[in-house]
């Protein structure tokens, strides 16, 4: 596996998505099936559209995200790129 990384190849997209899911719901802490499902949906949204896409879900739910939430999402997206 390390030989594949030497030429500059990276993880495939499914491994990257899996890493986002488990960052949101760590395996060492118990989470119920609903929490895992929410972590999965949030990870797919973040993987496809970026961290800022989560703010649109909050707005649709009637929750106005603060300035720090927007700055944090932009920071995550910049780091990802």
């Amino acid at each position: 596996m390390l030989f594949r990384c030497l030429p500059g190849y990276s993880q495939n997209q499914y491994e990257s998505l899996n890493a986002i899911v488990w960052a949101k719901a760590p395996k060492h802490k118990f989470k119920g099936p609903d929490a895992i499902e929410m972590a999965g949906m949030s990870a797919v949204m973040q993987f496809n559209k970026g961290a800022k896409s989560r703010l649109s879900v909050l707005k649709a739910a009637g929750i106005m995200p603060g300035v720090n939430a927007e700055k944090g999402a932009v920071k995550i997206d910049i780091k990802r790129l």
Side-chain angles (χ1 to χ4, degrees), residues 12-47:
N12 68 31
Q13 60 192 12
Y14 299 110
E15 291 173 350
S16 180
L17 177 61
N18 190 28
I20 296 173
V21 171
W22 293 118
K24 294 179 178 303
K27 293 179 183 180
H28 66 278
K29 294 182 180 177
F30 175 76
K31 302 286 182 188
D34 292 337
I36 300 296
E37 183 179 8
M38 292 296 288
M41 288 188 284
S42 177
V44 167
M45 195 167 45
Q46 180 177 341
F47 185 77

Side-chain angles (χ1 to χ4, degrees), residues 68-79:
N68 291 329
E70 291 183 16
K71 286 181 182 179
V74 169
K75 188 176 179 180
I76 290 170
D77 287 341
I78 290 171
K79 183 178 177 183

